[in-house]
Amino acid sequence: MLSEILKQSISYSLSEFETIIEEVIRTGSEKIYSTDMHPYVSKNHDLERDMQSKFSLQKKFFNAVQKTQTASLHLITEAWCLDACIIMPLFKGIAIANPSIDIRLYLRDRSEDLMQLFLTNGSKSIPVVFGLDKLGQEVFRWGPRSAKAKEVLALVINESYGVRYHALSTFYLQDLTQAIQEEWLDLL
């Protein structure tokens, strides 16, 4: 079922997804995102760029990526989602460490059938990352955030969006996906 849904779903490469984001920021394109989502897309893009400038793969993670039997990585995402945008530097690092891994991105709101296979407690929480082997069998799934990020969010869950965004973005800028890399070591 997953393989059929993937064939029917529109996917993007990392560079194609970046182009979508750049079009929103540069021209105000509404091709993918309505104007009410543009401030979130822009804000998250700034955070992603800040993270990318400081980002590195842990040596253990780099080695795991180079040795993995995972043939493809898939990310269900949206550019307006804070938790999803911070995965981009990690995926770019993986693409450099092991160019043979096929990386594909799917927009949650345009991939309903795919998203239905990866619900988190019945909700469409993103990001969702899943890996497939050479036969197209699922070898792991992860999401929507690391255990450490969940702890940060738990402290401010009843606060306003601004407070939650600040707490999580501050954590992400300090952590630089290190918590995710630790969690993925055993998954890859």
Side-chain angles (χ1 to χ4, degrees):
M1 184 200 282
L2 175 59
S3 63
E4 288 303 313
I5 290 175
L6 287 175
K7 287 177 190 173
Q8 296 167 8
S9 299
I10 297 172
S11 69
Y12 301 92
S13 68
L14 288 169
S15 62
E16 290 169 334
F17 187 68
E18 285 181 341
T19 298
I20 291 169
I21 295 168
E22 289 168 8
E23 285 179 3
V24 166
I25 293 168
R26 212 177 45 248
T27 67
S29 171
E30 293 184 61
K31 187 168 130 183
I32 303 288
Y33 295 110
S34 61
T35 54
D36 61 322
M37 300 311 283
H38 289 187
Y40 303 103
V41 172
S42 182
K43 193 175 191 178
N44 289 340
H45 183 64
D46 290 345
L47 174 62
E48 178 195 331
R49 278 193 323 212
D50 287 349
M51 288 181 65
Q52 188 70 49
S53 70
K54 302 169 188 160
F55 173 82
S56 66
L57 293 178
Q58 298 172 6
K59 186 174 183 173
K60 287 190 303 188
F61 188 78
F62 178 87
N63 291 335
V65 167
Q66 290 197 314
K67 295 175 186 175
T68 188
Q69 297 302 306
T70 301
S72 60
L73 288 174
H74 304 262
L75 171 64
I76 303 173
T77 189
E78 288 290 353
W80 47 257
C81 177
L82 169 64
D83 295 304
C85 82
I86 63 98
I87 298 287
M88 295 304 290
L90 181 56
F91 267 52
K92 290 173 186 176
I94 290 170
I96 292 167
N98 189 339
S100 68
I101 298 174
D102 183 30
I103 297 176
R104 302 306 301 170
L105 288 73
Y106 306 85
L107 300 179
R108 182 195 77 173
D109 295 342
R110 293 175 179 236
S111 305
E112 182 64 30
D113 290 342
L114 181 61
M115 188 67 240
Q116 287 300 315
L117 297 177
F118 294 95
L119 298 177
T120 303
N121 299 320
S123 75
K124 297 179 183 180
S125 299
I126 53 173
V128 172
V129 177
F130 59 99
L132 303 178
D133 64 16
K134 291 176 185 164
L135 300 174
Q137 298 299 309
E138 185 180 326
V139 291
F140 78 88
R141 68 172 61 185
W142 177 93
R145 61 182 63 89
S146 69
K148 288 184 180 178
K150 287 176 187 172
E151 290 172 12
V152 170
L153 183 60
L155 297 173
V156 294
I157 193 67
N158 294 320
E159 301 296 330
S160 69
Y161 167 80
V163 170
R164 293 190 314 269
Y165 185 93
H166 177 74
L168 279 171
S169 62
T170 300
F171 166 74
Y172 288 140
L173 275 170
Q174 292 169 348
D175 179 70
L176 298 171
T177 76
Q178 299 303 303
I180 297 170
Q181 291 181 52
E182 287 292 326
E183 290 182 9
W184 287 12
L185 271 175
D186 295 329
L187 300 177
L188 291 174

